[in-house]
Amino acid sequence: VAIIRLINLLDPELVVIQGDITAAKEIIENQIKSNVALLYKKYQKNIPMPELKFSHLNQNPVTLGAIFQSIDKLTTNVI
């Protein structure tokens, strides 16, 4: 339900699930995706559902994302 609320609020193209829960990805991935899809179709009939993915970054994903964005911005401005 929390994922659906965030999707309704933010309208993302991609939802990345991160944290300790990713350690159990093989066990819970299908269940999470099917539950989210079921609730999404119930409330958002004409809007495509965003893609759900599990993060492969183990530690500091926010820091790594900021670093990659900085590098991208630097290389875009230089070239």
Side-chain angles (χ1 to χ4, degrees):
V1 175
I3 294 173
I4 293 296
R5 288 182 180 166
L6 287 171
I7 290 171
N8 286 335
L9 178 68
L10 302 173
D11 190 26
E13 293 180 15
L14 172 69
V15 174
V16 179
I17 299 171
Q18 197 278 324
D20 293 337
I21 195 168
T22 59
K25 175 188 172 194
E26 291 79 23
I27 299 169
I28 61 170
E29 180 177 20
N30 290 333
Q31 187 69 33
I32 288 176
K33 286 183 176 183
S34 64
N35 286 342
V36 169
L38 182 68
L39 287 170
Y40 191 82
K41 288 176 186 174
K42 181 178 179 180
Y43 297 109
Q44 302 291 339
K45 299 186 189 290
N46 297 324
I47 302 170
M49 189 175 113
E51 187 176 0
L52 265 63
K53 292 202 170 210
F54 280 75
S55 174
H56 296 288
L57 303 174
N58 293 331
Q59 295 179 348
N60 302 317
V62 174
T63 305
L64 290 172
I67 290 169
F68 285 124
Q69 280 190 340
S70 298
I71 291 170
D72 184 53
K73 198 161 202 79
L74 285 171
T75 56
T76 303
N77 289 337
V78 171
I79 296 176

